[in-house]
């Protein structure tokens, strides 16, 4: 009778969806969105671009803060404060510009994923100072990379044609603030 109860319990668990699916985390979209940020010229699936996954952005923000802490700067409050204010402002802008509305989770997700080049820059700041000429060039490239990736993901997710430059400007300003925190 013990084996029949164990078999009945196993069949109940067999009908359950996987834990990540139950939590609303789609690993394929996470990988696809990360690869899209790492290669901005890659074609993007609109479903993955509009996915409102917040696990990846949280990890990237924690990595950003950790790298800054390793370089002697304890700026977690600035990261979350500026990030929150930037997400709210870009959310308001996108709701004014886009034909269809946008969810705040989608804005946070895209801006968080596109922080990857700045996270890499903060990792480099642990090894050497970014205040020289070479650091300025690297910082500028990281901001451009973040800006291009985020504006492309927003335009793809919200089906906004010919408005990438309009979306890129405020995103670039936000990422420039994060880059300045990394540099100084």
């Amino acid at each position: 009778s013990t084996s029949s109860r164990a078999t009945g319990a196993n069949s109940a668990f067999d009908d359950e969806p996987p834990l990540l699916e139950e939590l609303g985390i789609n690993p394929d979209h996470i990988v696809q969105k990360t690869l899209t940020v790492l290669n901005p010229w890659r074609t993007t699936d609109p479903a993955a671009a509009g996915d409102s996954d917040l696990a990846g952005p949280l990890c990237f923000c924690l990595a950003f803060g950790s790298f800054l802490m390793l370089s002697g700067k304890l700026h977690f409050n600035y990261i979350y404060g500026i990030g929150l204010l930037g997400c709210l402002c870009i959310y308001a802008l996108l709701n004014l510009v886009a034909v269809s509305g946008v969810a705040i989770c989608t804005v946070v997700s895209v801006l968080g994923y596109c922080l990857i080049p700045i996270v890499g820059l903060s990792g480099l700041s642990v090894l050497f100072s970014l205040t020289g000429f070479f650091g300025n060039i690297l910082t500028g490239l990281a901001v451009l990379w973040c800006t291009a990736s985020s504006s492309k993901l927003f335009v793809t997710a919200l089906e906004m044609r010919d408005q990438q430059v309009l979306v890129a400007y405020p995103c670039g300003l936000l990422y420039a603030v994060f880059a300045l925190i990394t540099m100084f």
Side-chain angles (χ1 to χ4, degrees), residues 4 13 21 26 30 43 50 52 63 68 81 101 106-107 120 122 130 135 137 145 156 159:
S4 65
F13 286 122
E21 183 180 321
N26 190 343
I30 293 172
T43 58
S52 59
L68 287 178
T106 303
V107 173
S122 66
L130 296 174
I137 297 297
W145 190 353
T156 303
E159 299 172 356

Side-chain angles (χ1 to χ4, degrees), residues 111-122:
L111 291 175
Y113 271 106
C114 294
L115 196 65
I116 295 172
I118 298 290
V119 173
L121 185 72
S122 66

Side-chain angles (χ1 to χ4, degrees), residues 6-8 15 17 36 38-39 41-42 60 74 82 89 91 118 123 125 128 130 132 135-136 138 142 144 149 177:
T7 307
D15 297 337
T36 300
L38 293 176
N39 182 7
W41 294 276
R42 183 175 189 255
F60 295 133
L74 193 58
I82 293 170
C89 290
Y91 168 73
I118 298 290
S125 75
F128 61 90
L130 296 174
N136 288 340
L138 279 177
L144 287 175
S149 297
V177 171

Side-chain angles (χ1 to χ4, degrees):
S1 83
T2 307
S3 64
S4 65
R5 278 190 288 173
T7 307
N10 284 341
S11 66
F13 286 122
D14 291 340
D15 297 337
E16 292 289 323
L19 181 61
L20 289 178
E21 183 180 321
E22 204 169 300
L23 293 173
I25 298 172
N26 190 343
D28 295 331
H29 284 184
I30 293 172
V31 169
Q32 189 173 9
K33 205 177 240 187
T34 304
L35 290 176
T36 300
V37 170
L38 293 176
N39 182 7
W41 294 276
R42 183 175 189 255
T43 58
T44 308
D45 179 27
D51 189 25
S52 59
D53 166 51
L54 298 177
L58 182 64
C59 291
F60 295 133
C61 284
L62 287 173
F64 181 47
S66 298
F67 281 135
L68 287 178
M69 188 174 62
L70 287 174
S71 64
K73 305 168 193 163
L74 193 58
H75 294 308
F76 282 100
N77 55 346
Y78 292 122
I79 294 169
Y80 291 120
I82 293 170
L84 177 68
L85 184 64
C87 287
L88 290 175
C89 290
I90 291 179
Y91 168 73
L93 175 80
L94 288 175
N95 273 321
L96 291 173
V97 174
V99 175
S100 62
V102 61
I104 187 72
C105 292
T106 303
V107 173
V108 172
S109 177
V110 168
L111 291 175
Y113 271 106
C114 294
L115 196 65
I116 295 172
I118 298 290
V119 173
L121 185 72
S122 66
L124 289 175
S125 75
V126 172
L127 302 174
F128 61 90
S129 174
L130 296 174
T131 56
F133 178 74
F134 185 65
N136 288 340
I137 297 297
L138 279 177
T139 302
L141 288 174
V143 169
L144 287 175
W145 190 353
C146 291
T147 302
S149 297
S150 63
S151 62
K152 181 185 176 220
L153 282 174
F154 281 132
V155 167
T156 303
L158 301 175
E159 299 172 356
M160 300 165 59
R161 289 178 176 68
D162 301 324
Q163 294 181 343
Q164 186 166 0
V165 176
L166 182 66
V167 174
Y169 183 70
C171 292
L173 290 175
L174 177 65
Y175 290 121
V177 171
F178 284 128
L180 288 172
I181 290 173
T182 304
M183 281 182 72
F184 300 110

